Amino acid sequence: MCPITYAGAVQLDEFRWMLPKEGGMRVPGVLFADRPLLEKMLSDRTPQQVRNAAHLPGILEASIAMPDAHWGYGLPVGGVVATDPEEGVISPGAVGYDIGCGVRLLRSRLTRAELAPLVERLADALFRNVPCGVGSSGAVRVAPRELERVLRDGAGWAVQRGFGTAGDLEHCEEGGVLEGADPDAVSQAAHQRGRGQLGTLGSGNHFLEVQEVEQVYDERAAAALGIARGEVTVMIHCGSRGLGHQVCTDHVRDVSRKLAGWGIVLPDRQLACAPLASPEAQAYVGAMRAAANFAWANRQCIADGVRRAFSETLGRGPADLGLSLVYDVAHNIAKFEHHETSAGRVRCLVHRKGATRAFPAGHPDVPAAYRAVGQPVLVPGDMGRYSYVLIGSQGAMRYAFGSTCHGAGRQMSRTQAVRDTRGRDLVQELRELGVVVRYEGRDTLREETSEAYKDVADVVRVVQGADLARPVARLKPFLVVKG
DNA sequence: ATGTAC
């Protein structure tokens, strides 16, 4: 029997393709995709970047790409790479420039109909309370010494400052803080860039959406997560702003200079990495954790801005709105975890870059309230269509180091999207779709137009088919704030 | 993603 191959990828089953070991690859590559998504992946350099990452010293099992994967810096966005803690390395490029970037979902007890007469005013209030755009700042004042506490304590710092409640922290991955952050490994330049940016959304694909739960696929899981059809949710997508960007820049440069000395040869210098035992790796790990904590604090501050905006607009106290946190999960991060491999149960460093942790039911790291159903996974789509809430499934542990997809993935470059939408009134088009929008930046809406993204439903179908995660609900936006 | 070029 002859296996089906397509452009060098060997089909393993309906939703998995293997890139066989060749040259200096230490492990094979695995692409999660159906045929149409595989073809989209093959149209950029994603498979080559997956192969390149398979050269990383100490990489375990496979170099993995999720169905929303597309070309990125060194490793594709949508890449998962696990390395051995003794023999292996950490690669800043395999975490990405927006360290700690992730998604937070709030739910309410409001309905869209209730909000309908207030949508324009709510949009103004959100736009006012949550600054957005490149270089946006000024939402939260932080003294220079206090920034160190942000970097150590993450979302907990924000709660202590009065931005939210202790209950919020229980519904964050890791409680909203990675232990072992080292603020001293974060350069002064990074401190300065980040200090004014807490509570701000940034730009690019970052957004804030008010959505309606339009479809529930799993009633039991939805009930556990506290969401129900017809209710309003708020989704926040953002990261560590200029601070995380500067941390990545600094440490890519530092480890890049030492590569030859360590005797590490890589097909792409953008994958520059450091042996986990080296001081350089320790410094990056400490700085990366600090930047991730900044991102968690940032999303916590933004959630507070959202609650204030709702409160102002509806004339009700924040406690009456029921705007509670469903979950907050990062999709650009590297973490030490235990996983079952062909060599048995091992501790490993899992790099997730545009990939989301997706622990299944019963895993001790899933919050107690959700442990019987699995870890929530938040998957944004695009501003004209929908986003998904998923829960982690067993196959994620078996095939992908406890990981799944993180979004729709672009299918059109920013420049092409701007060119293709020239002359169209996207504000009006979105209005006709029932979406009210506020935005910063001349080309933001064109760059982020629906057609620039793959249909996230196609991505979800693959992760469901591969048993990485299962759909709980689909969320339809009706108010979008973008930078 | 990003003080979108050091």
Coordinates of all heavy atoms in Angstrom, one line a residue, chain A residues 371-461:
Chain A
R371 N -12.6 21.5 35.6 CA -11.8 20.3 35.5 C -12.5 19.1 34.9 O -12.0 18.3 34.2 CB -11.1 20.0 36.8 CG -9.9 19.1 36.6 CD -9.0 19.0 37.9 NE -8.5 20.4 38.2 CZ -8.3 20.8 39.4 NH1 -8.5 20.0 40.5 NH2 -7.8 22.0 39.6
A372 N -13.8 19.1 35.2 CA -14.6 18.0 34.7 C -14.9 18.1 33.1 O -15.2 17.0 32.5 CB -16.0 17.9 35.4
V373 N -14.7 19.3 32.5 CA -15.0 19.4 31.1 C -13.7 19.6 30.3 O -13.7 19.2 29.1 CB -16.0 20.5 30.8 CG1 -17.4 20.1 31.4 CG2 -15.6 21.8 31.3
G374 N -12.7 20.3 30.9 CA -11.5 20.5 30.1 C -11.2 22.0 30.1 O -12.0 22.9 30.4
Q375 N -9.9 22.4 29.7 CA -9.5 23.8 29.7 C -10.1 24.5 28.6 O -10.1 24.1 27.5 CB -8.0 23.8 29.6 CG -7.4 25.2 29.6 CD -6.2 25.3 28.7 OE1 -5.2 24.6 28.8 NE2 -6.3 26.2 27.7
P376 N -10.7 25.7 28.9 CA -11.2 26.5 27.8 C -10.1 27.0 26.9 O -9.0 27.3 27.3 CB -11.8 27.8 28.5 CG -12.0 27.3 30.0 CD -10.9 26.3 30.2
V377 N -10.4 27.0 25.6 CA -9.5 27.5 24.6 C -10.2 28.6 23.8 O -11.3 28.3 23.3 CB -9.1 26.3 23.6 CG1 -8.3 26.8 22.5 CG2 -8.3 25.2 24.4
L378 N -9.6 29.7 23.7 CA -10.3 30.9 23.1 C -9.7 31.1 21.7 O -8.5 31.4 21.6 CB -10.1 32.1 24.0 CG -10.6 31.9 25.4 CD1 -10.2 33.0 26.3 CD2 -12.0 31.5 25.5
V379 N -10.5 31.0 20.7 CA -10.0 31.1 19.3 C -10.7 32.2 18.5 O -11.8 32.0 18.0 CB -10.2 29.7 18.6 CG1 -9.6 29.7 17.2 CG2 -9.6 28.6 19.4
P380 N -10.1 33.3 18.4 CA -10.6 34.4 17.6 C -10.7 34.1 16.1 O -9.8 33.4 15.6 CB -9.7 35.6 17.8 CG -8.8 35.2 18.9 CD -8.8 33.7 19.0
G381 N -11.7 34.5 15.4 CA -11.8 34.4 14.0 C -11.5 35.7 13.3 O -10.4 36.2 13.3
D382 N -12.5 36.4 12.8 CA -12.3 37.7 12.2 C -13.5 38.6 12.5 O -14.5 38.0 13.0 CB -12.1 37.6 10.7 CG -13.3 37.1 10.0 OD1 -14.3 37.8 9.8 OD2 -13.3 35.9 9.6
M383 N -13.4 39.9 12.3 CA -14.3 40.8 12.9 C -15.7 40.8 12.2 O -16.7 41.3 12.7 CB -13.8 42.2 12.9 CG -13.4 42.8 11.6 SD -12.7 44.4 11.8 CE -12.0 44.7 10.2
G384 N -15.8 40.2 11.0 CA -17.0 40.1 10.3 C -17.8 38.8 10.5 O -19.0 38.8 10.2
R385 N -17.1 37.8 11.0 CA -17.8 36.5 11.1 C -17.9 36.1 12.5 O -18.9 36.4 13.2 CB -17.0 35.4 10.3 CG -17.3 35.6 8.8 CD -16.5 34.6 7.9 NE -15.1 35.0 7.7 CZ -14.3 34.5 6.8 NH1 -14.7 33.4 6.1 NH2 -13.1 34.9 6.6
Y386 N -17.0 35.3 13.1 CA -17.2 34.7 14.4 C -15.9 34.3 15.0 O -14.9 34.2 14.4 CB -18.2 33.5 14.3 CG -18.1 32.7 13.0 CD1 -16.9 32.1 12.7 CD2 -19.1 32.7 12.1 CE1 -16.8 31.4 11.5 CE2 -19.0 32.0 10.9 CZ -17.8 31.3 10.6 OH -17.7 30.7 9.4
S387 N -16.0 34.0 16.3 CA -14.9 33.4 17.1 C -15.5 32.1 17.8 O -16.7 32.0 17.9 CB -14.3 34.4 18.1 OG -13.8 35.5 17.5
Y388 N -14.6 31.3 18.3 CA -15.0 30.1 19.0 C -14.5 30.0 20.4 O -13.4 30.4 20.7 CB -14.5 28.8 18.2 CG -15.3 28.5 17.0 CD1 -15.1 29.2 15.8 CD2 -16.3 27.6 17.0 CE1 -15.9 28.9 14.6 CE2 -17.1 27.2 15.9 CZ -16.9 27.9 14.7 OH -17.6 27.6 13.6
V389 N -15.2 29.3 21.2 CA -14.7 28.8 22.5 C -14.7 27.3 22.4 O -15.6 26.6 21.9 CB -15.7 29.1 23.7 CG1 -15.2 28.5 25.0 CG2 -15.9 30.6 23.8
L390 N -13.5 26.7 22.6 CA -13.3 25.3 22.6 C -12.9 24.8 24.0 O -12.6 25.6 24.9 CB -12.2 24.9 21.6 CG -12.1 25.6 20.2 CD1 -10.9 25.1 19.5 CD2 -13.4 25.3 19.4
I391 N -12.8 23.5 24.1 CA -12.2 22.9 25.3 C -11.2 21.9 24.9 O -11.3 21.2 23.9 CB -13.2 22.2 26.3 CG1 -14.2 21.3 25.5 CG2 -13.9 23.2 27.2 CD1 -15.0 20.5 26.4
G392 N -10.1 21.8 25.7 CA -9.0 20.9 25.3 C -9.5 19.4 25.3 O -10.4 19.0 26.1
S393 N -8.8 18.6 24.5 CA -9.2 17.2 24.4 C -8.0 16.3 24.5 O -6.8 16.7 24.4 CB -9.9 17.0 23.1 OG -10.6 15.8 23.0
Q394 N -8.2 15.0 24.7 CA -7.1 14.0 24.9 C -6.1 14.0 23.8 O -4.9 13.8 24.1 CB -7.7 12.6 25.1 CG -8.6 12.4 26.3 CD -7.8 12.6 27.6 OE1 -6.6 12.5 27.7 NE2 -8.6 13.0 28.7
G395 N -6.5 14.1 22.6 CA -5.5 14.1 21.5 C -4.5 15.2 21.5 O -3.4 15.0 21.0
A396 N -4.8 16.3 22.2 CA -3.8 17.4 22.3 C -2.6 16.8 23.1 O -1.5 17.1 22.8 CB -4.4 18.6 23.1
M397 N -2.9 16.0 24.2 CA -1.8 15.5 24.9 C -1.0 14.4 24.1 O 0.2 14.3 24.2 CB -2.3 14.8 26.2 CG -3.1 15.8 27.1 SD -2.2 17.3 27.5 CE -1.2 16.8 28.9
R398 N -1.7 13.7 23.4 CA -1.1 12.5 22.6 C -0.3 13.0 21.5 O 0.8 12.5 21.2 CB -2.2 11.6 22.1 CG -1.8 10.2 21.8 CD -2.9 9.2 22.0 NE -4.2 9.6 21.5 CZ -5.4 9.6 22.1 NH1 -5.4 9.3 23.4 NH2 -6.5 10.0 21.6
Y399 N -0.7 14.0 20.8 CA -0.1 14.4 19.5 C 0.6 15.8 19.5 O 1.3 16.1 18.5 CB -1.2 14.4 18.4 CG -1.9 13.1 18.2 CD1 -3.3 13.1 18.3 CD2 -1.3 12.0 17.9 CE1 -4.0 11.9 18.1 CE2 -1.9 10.8 17.7 CZ -3.3 10.8 17.8 OH -4.0 9.6 17.6
A400 N 0.3 16.6 20.5 CA 0.7 18.0 20.3 C 1.1 18.7 21.6 O 1.0 19.9 21.7 CB -0.4 18.8 19.6
F401 N 1.7 17.9 22.5 CA 2.2 18.5 23.8 C 1.1 19.5 24.4 O 1.4 20.6 24.8 CB 3.5 19.3 23.5 CG 4.7 18.4 23.2 CD1 5.0 18.2 21.8 CD2 5.3 17.7 24.1 CE1 6.1 17.3 21.5 CE2 6.4 16.8 23.8 CZ 6.7 16.6 22.5
G402 N -0.1 19.0 24.4 CA -1.2 19.7 25.1 C -1.5 21.0 24.4 O -1.7 22.0 25.1
S403 N -1.5 21.0 23.1 CA -1.7 22.3 22.3 C -2.8 22.2 21.2 O -3.1 21.1 20.7 CB -0.4 22.7 21.7 OG 0.7 22.6 22.5
T404 N -3.3 23.3 20.9 CA -4.2 23.4 19.7 C -4.0 24.8 19.0 O -3.0 25.5 19.2 CB -5.7 23.2 20.1 OG1 -6.5 23.1 19.0 CG2 -6.2 24.4 20.9
C405 N -4.9 25.1 18.1 CA -4.8 26.3 17.2 C -5.0 27.5 18.1 O -5.4 27.5 19.2 CB -5.8 26.2 16.1 SG -7.5 26.2 16.7
H406 N -4.8 28.7 17.5 CA -5.0 30.0 18.2 C -5.9 31.0 17.5 O -6.2 32.0 18.0 CB -3.7 30.6 18.6 CG -3.1 31.5 17.5 ND1 -2.9 31.1 16.2 CD2 -2.7 32.8 17.6 CE1 -2.5 32.1 15.5 NE2 -2.3 33.2 16.3
G407 N -6.3 30.7 16.2 CA -7.1 31.6 15.5 C -7.4 31.2 14.1 O -7.2 30.0 13.8
A408 N -7.7 32.1 13.2 CA -8.0 31.8 11.8 C -6.8 31.7 11.0 O -6.6 30.8 10.1 CB -9.0 32.8 11.3
G409 N -5.9 32.6 11.2 CA -4.7 32.7 10.4 C -4.9 33.5 9.2 O -6.0 33.4 8.5
R410 N -4.0 34.4 8.8 CA -4.2 35.2 7.6 C -4.1 34.4 6.4 O -3.4 33.4 6.3 CB -3.1 36.3 7.6 CG -3.1 37.4 8.6 CD -2.2 38.5 8.2 NE -2.9 39.4 7.3 CZ -3.7 40.4 7.6 NH1 -3.9 40.7 8.9 NH2 -4.2 41.2 6.7
Q411 N -4.8 34.8 5.3 CA -4.6 34.2 4.0 C -4.2 35.2 3.0 O -4.1 34.9 1.8 CB -5.8 33.4 3.6 CG -7.1 34.2 3.5 CD -8.3 33.3 3.0 OE1 -8.1 32.2 2.6 NE2 -9.4 33.9 2.9
M412 N -4.1 36.5 3.4 CA -3.8 37.6 2.5 C -2.8 38.5 3.3 O -3.0 38.7 4.5 CB -5.1 38.3 2.3 CG -5.2 39.1 1.0 SD -6.8 40.0 0.9 CE -7.9 38.8 0.4
S413 N -1.8 39.0 2.6 CA -0.9 40.0 3.3 C -1.7 41.3 3.6 O -2.7 41.6 3.0 CB 0.3 40.2 2.4 OG -0.1 41.1 1.3
R414 N -1.1 42.0 4.5 CA -1.7 43.3 4.9 C -1.8 44.2 3.7 O -2.8 44.9 3.4 CB -0.9 44.0 6.0 CG -1.0 43.2 7.3 CD -0.3 43.9 8.5 NE -0.6 43.1 9.6 CZ -1.7 43.2 10.4 NH1 -2.6 44.1 10.0 NH2 -1.9 42.4 11.4
T415 N -0.7 44.3 2.9 CA -0.7 45.2 1.7 C -1.7 44.7 0.7 O -2.4 45.6 0.1 CB 0.7 45.2 1.1 OG1 1.3 43.9 1.0 CG2 1.7 46.1 1.8
Q416 N -1.8 43.4 0.5 CA -2.8 42.9 -0.5 C -4.2 43.3 0.0 O -5.1 43.7 -0.8 CB -2.7 41.4 -0.7 CG -3.5 40.9 -1.9 CD -3.6 39.4 -1.9 OE1 -2.8 38.7 -1.2 NE2 -4.6 38.9 -2.6
A417 N -4.5 43.1 1.3 CA -5.8 43.4 1.9 C -6.1 44.9 1.7 O -7.3 45.3 1.3 CB -5.9 43.1 3.4
V418 N -5.2 45.8 1.9 CA -5.4 47.2 1.7 C -5.7 47.5 0.2 O -6.7 48.2 -0.1 CB -4.1 48.0 2.2 CG1 -4.3 49.5 1.8 CG2 -4.0 47.9 3.7
R419 N -4.9 46.9 -0.6 CA -5.1 47.1 -2.1 C -6.5 46.6 -2.5 O -7.2 47.3 -3.2 CB -4.0 46.3 -2.8 CG -3.9 46.7 -4.3 CD -2.7 46.2 -5.0 NE -1.6 45.5 -4.2 CZ -1.4 44.2 -4.1 NH1 -2.2 43.4 -4.8 NH2 -0.5 43.7 -3.4
D420 N -6.9 45.4 -2.1 CA -8.1 44.8 -2.5 C -9.4 45.5 -2.0 O -10.4 45.3 -2.6 CB -8.2 43.3 -2.0 CG -7.3 42.4 -2.8 OD1 -6.5 42.9 -3.6 OD2 -7.5 41.2 -2.7
T421 N -9.2 46.2 -0.9 CA -10.4 46.9 -0.3 C -10.5 48.4 -0.7 O -11.4 49.1 -0.1 CB -10.5 46.7 1.2 OG1 -9.3 47.2 1.7 CG2 -10.6 45.2 1.6
R422 N -9.5 48.9 -1.4 CA -9.5 50.3 -1.8 C -10.8 50.7 -2.4 O -11.4 50.1 -3.2 CB -8.3 50.6 -2.7 CG -8.1 52.1 -2.9 CD -6.6 52.3 -3.1 NE -5.9 52.2 -1.8 CZ -4.6 51.9 -1.7 NH1 -3.8 51.7 -2.7 NH2 -4.0 51.8 -0.5
G423 N -11.3 51.9 -1.9 CA -12.5 52.4 -2.5 C -13.8 51.9 -1.8 O -14.9 52.5 -1.9
R424 N -13.7 50.8 -1.0 CA -14.9 50.3 -0.3 C -15.0 51.0 1.1 O -14.0 51.4 1.7 CB -14.8 48.8 -0.1 CG -15.1 48.1 -1.4 CD -14.6 46.6 -1.3 NE -15.1 45.9 -0.1 CZ -14.6 44.7 0.3 NH1 -13.8 44.1 -0.5 NH2 -15.1 44.1 1.3
D425 N -16.3 51.2 1.5 CA -16.5 51.8 2.8 C -16.8 50.6 3.8 O -17.9 50.2 4.0 CB -17.8 52.7 2.7 CG -18.0 53.4 4.0 OD1 -17.4 53.0 5.1 OD2 -18.9 54.3 4.0
L426 N -15.7 50.2 4.5 CA -15.8 49.0 5.3 C -16.6 49.3 6.6 O -17.2 48.4 7.1 CB -14.4 48.5 5.7 CG -13.5 48.0 4.5 CD1 -12.2 47.5 5.0 CD2 -14.3 46.9 3.8
V427 N -16.6 50.6 7.0 CA -17.4 50.9 8.2 C -18.9 50.6 7.9 O -19.6 50.0 8.7 CB -17.2 52.4 8.7 CG1 -18.2 52.7 9.8 CG2 -15.8 52.6 9.1
Q428 N -19.3 51.1 6.7 CA -20.6 50.9 6.3 C -20.9 49.4 6.0 O -22.0 48.9 6.4 CB -20.9 51.7 5.0 CG -22.3 51.6 4.5 CD -23.4 52.0 5.5 OE1 -23.1 52.8 6.4 NE2 -24.6 51.5 5.4
E429 N -20.0 48.7 5.4 CA -20.2 47.2 5.1 C -20.4 46.5 6.5 O -21.2 45.6 6.6 CB -19.0 46.7 4.4 CG -19.0 47.1 2.9 CD -17.9 46.5 2.1 OE1 -17.4 45.4 2.5 OE2 -17.4 47.1 1.1
L430 N -19.5 46.8 7.4 CA -19.6 46.2 8.7 C -21.0 46.5 9.4 O -21.6 45.6 10.0 CB -18.5 46.5 9.6 CG -17.1 45.8 9.3 CD1 -15.9 46.5 9.9 CD2 -17.2 44.3 9.7
R431 N -21.4 47.8 9.3 CA -22.7 48.2 9.8 C -23.8 47.3 9.3 O -24.7 46.9 10.0 CB -22.9 49.7 9.5 CG -24.1 50.2 10.3 CD -24.3 51.7 9.9 NE -23.1 52.5 10.3 CZ -22.9 52.9 11.6 NH1 -23.7 52.7 12.5 NH2 -21.8 53.6 11.8
E432 N -23.7 47.1 8.0 CA -24.7 46.2 7.3 C -24.7 44.8 7.8 O -25.7 44.1 7.8 CB -24.6 46.3 5.8 CG -25.2 47.6 5.2 CD -24.6 47.9 3.8 OE1 -24.2 47.0 3.1 OE2 -24.7 49.1 3.4
L433 N -23.5 44.4 8.3 CA -23.4 43.0 8.9 C -23.8 43.0 10.4 O -23.8 42.0 11.1 CB -22.0 42.5 8.8 CG -21.5 42.0 7.4 CD1 -20.0 41.8 7.5 CD2 -22.2 40.8 7.0
G434 N -24.2 44.3 10.9 CA -24.6 44.4 12.3 C -23.4 44.6 13.2 O -23.5 44.3 14.4
V435 N -22.3 45.1 12.7 CA -21.1 45.3 13.5 C -20.8 46.8 13.6 O -20.5 47.4 12.5 CB -19.9 44.5 12.9 CG1 -18.7 44.7 13.8 CG2 -20.2 43.0 12.8
V436 N -20.8 47.4 14.8 CA -20.4 48.7 15.0 C -18.9 48.7 15.3 O -18.5 47.9 16.1 CB -21.2 49.4 16.2 CG1 -20.6 50.7 16.6 CG2 -22.7 49.5 15.8
V437 N -18.2 49.6 14.7 CA -16.7 49.6 14.8 C -16.1 51.0 15.2 O -16.7 52.0 14.8 CB -16.1 49.0 13.5 CG1 -16.3 49.9 12.4 CG2 -14.6 48.8 13.7
R438 N -15.1 50.9 16.1 CA -14.3 52.1 16.4 C -12.9 51.7 16.2 O -12.5 50.6 16.6 CB -14.5 52.5 17.9 CG -15.9 53.0 18.2 CD -16.2 54.3 17.7 NE -17.5 54.8 18.1 CZ -18.7 54.5 17.6 NH1 -18.7 53.6 16.5 NH2 -19.8 54.9 18.1
Y439 N -12.1 52.5 15.5 CA -10.7 52.1 15.3 C -9.8 53.3 15.2 O -10.2 54.4 15.0 CB -10.7 51.3 13.9 CG -11.0 52.2 12.7 CD1 -10.0 52.7 11.9 CD2 -12.3 52.5 12.4 CE1 -10.3 53.5 10.8 CE2 -12.6 53.3 11.3 CZ -11.6 53.8 10.5 OH -11.9 54.6 9.5
E440 N -8.5 53.0 15.3 CA -7.4 53.9 15.2 C -6.5 53.5 14.0 O -6.4 52.3 13.8 CB -6.6 53.8 16.5 CG -5.7 55.0 16.9 CD -6.5 56.2 17.3 OE1 -7.2 56.2 18.3 OE2 -6.4 57.2 16.6
G441 N -6.0 54.5 13.3 CA -5.1 54.1 12.2 C -5.8 54.1 10.9 O -6.9 53.5 10.7
R442 N -5.2 54.6 9.9 CA -5.8 54.8 8.6 C -6.2 53.5 7.9 O -7.3 53.4 7.4 CB -4.9 55.6 7.6 CG -5.5 56.1 6.4 CD -4.5 56.7 5.4 NE -3.5 55.7 5.1 CZ -2.5 55.8 4.2 NH1 -2.4 56.9 3.5 NH2 -1.6 54.9 4.1
D443 N -5.3 52.5 7.9 CA -5.5 51.3 7.1 C -6.0 50.1 8.0 O -6.1 49.0 7.4 CB -4.3 50.9 6.3 CG -4.0 51.9 5.2 OD1 -5.0 52.5 4.6 OD2 -2.9 52.1 4.8
T444 N -6.2 50.3 9.3 CA -6.4 49.2 10.2 C -7.6 48.3 9.7 O -7.4 47.1 9.6 CB -6.7 49.7 11.6 OG1 -5.6 50.5 12.0 CG2 -7.1 48.6 12.6
L445 N -8.7 48.9 9.3 CA -9.8 48.1 9.0 C -9.6 47.3 7.7 O -10.0 46.2 7.5 CB -11.1 49.0 8.8 CG -11.7 49.5 10.1 CD1 -13.1 50.1 9.8 CD2 -11.9 48.4 11.1
R446 N -8.9 48.0 6.7 CA -8.6 47.3 5.5 C -7.7 46.1 5.7 O -7.9 45.0 5.2 CB -8.0 48.2 4.5 CG -8.9 49.4 4.1 CD -8.4 50.2 3.0 NE -9.2 51.4 2.8 CZ -10.5 51.4 2.4 NH1 -11.0 50.3 2.0 NH2 -11.1 52.5 2.4
E447 N -6.6 46.3 6.5 CA -5.7 45.2 6.8 C -6.3 44.1 7.5 O -5.9 42.9 7.3 CB -4.5 45.8 7.7 CG -3.6 46.7 7.0 CD -2.6 47.4 7.9 OE1 -2.7 47.1 9.1 OE2 -1.7 48.1 7.4
E448 N -7.3 44.4 8.3 CA -8.0 43.3 9.1 C -9.3 42.9 8.6 O -10.1 42.2 9.3 CB -8.2 43.9 10.5 CG -6.9 44.1 11.3 CD -6.2 42.8 11.6 OE1 -6.8 41.9 12.1 OE2 -5.0 42.7 11.3
T449 N -9.6 43.2 7.4 CA -10.9 42.8 6.8 C -11.1 41.3 6.8 O -10.1 40.5 6.7 CB -11.0 43.4 5.3 OG1 -12.3 43.2 4.9 CG2 -10.0 42.7 4.4
S450 N -12.3 40.9 6.9 CA -12.7 39.4 7.0 C -11.9 38.6 6.0 O -11.4 37.5 6.3 CB -14.2 39.2 6.8 OG -14.8 39.5 8.0
E451 N -12.0 39.0 4.7 CA -11.4 38.2 3.6 C -9.9 38.0 3.7 O -9.4 37.1 3.1 CB -11.7 38.8 2.2 CG -13.0 39.5 2.0 CD -13.0 40.9 2.4 OE1 -12.7 41.8 1.5 OE2 -13.3 41.2 3.6
A452 N -9.3 38.8 4.6 CA -7.8 38.6 4.8 C -7.5 37.4 5.6 O -6.4 37.0 5.7 CB -7.2 39.9 5.4
Y453 N -8.6 36.9 6.3 CA -8.4 35.7 7.1 C -9.0 34.5 6.6 O -10.0 34.6 5.8 CB -9.0 36.0 8.5 CG -8.1 36.9 9.3 CD1 -8.3 38.3 9.3 CD2 -7.1 36.4 10.1 CE1 -7.5 39.2 10.0 CE2 -6.3 37.3 10.9 CZ -6.5 38.7 10.8 OH -5.7 39.5 11.5
K454 N -8.5 33.3 6.9 CA -9.1 32.0 6.6 C -10.4 32.0 7.5 O -10.5 32.7 8.5 CB -8.2 30.9 7.0 CG -7.1 30.7 6.1 CD -6.1 29.6 6.5 CE -5.0 30.1 7.3 NZ -3.8 29.3 7.3
D455 N -11.3 31.1 7.1 CA -12.6 30.9 7.8 C -12.2 30.1 9.1 O -11.7 28.9 8.9 CB -13.6 30.2 7.0 CG -14.9 30.0 7.7 OD1 -15.0 30.2 8.9 OD2 -15.9 29.8 7.0
V456 N -12.3 30.7 10.3 CA -11.9 30.0 11.5 C -12.7 28.7 11.7 O -12.2 27.7 12.3 CB -11.9 30.9 12.7 CG1 -13.4 31.2 13.1 CG2 -11.2 30.3 13.9
A457 N -13.9 28.6 11.1 CA -14.6 27.3 11.2 C -13.9 26.2 10.6 O -14.0 25.0 11.0 CB -16.0 27.5 10.6
D458 N -13.2 26.4 9.5 CA -12.4 25.4 8.8 C -11.2 24.9 9.7 O -10.9 23.7 9.8 CB -11.8 25.9 7.5 CG -12.8 26.2 6.5 OD1 -13.9 25.7 6.6 OD2 -12.6 27.1 5.6
V459 N -10.6 25.9 10.5 CA -9.5 25.5 11.4 C -10.1 24.7 12.5 O -9.5 23.7 12.9 CB -8.9 26.8 11.9 CG1 -7.9 26.5 13.0 CG2 -8.2 27.6 10.8
V460 N -11.2 25.1 13.1 CA -11.8 24.4 14.2 C -12.2 23.0 13.8 O -12.0 22.0 14.6 CB -13.1 25.2 14.7 CG1 -13.9 24.3 15.7 CG2 -12.6 26.5 15.4
R461 N -12.7 22.8 12.6 CA -13.1 21.5 12.1 C -11.9 20.5 12.2 O -12.0 19.4 12.5 CB -13.6 21.6 10.7 CG -14.5 20.4 10.3 CD -15.1 20.6 8.9 NE -16.0 21.8 8.8 CZ -15.7 22.9 8.1 NH1 -14.7 22.9 7.2 NH2 -16.5 23.9 8.1

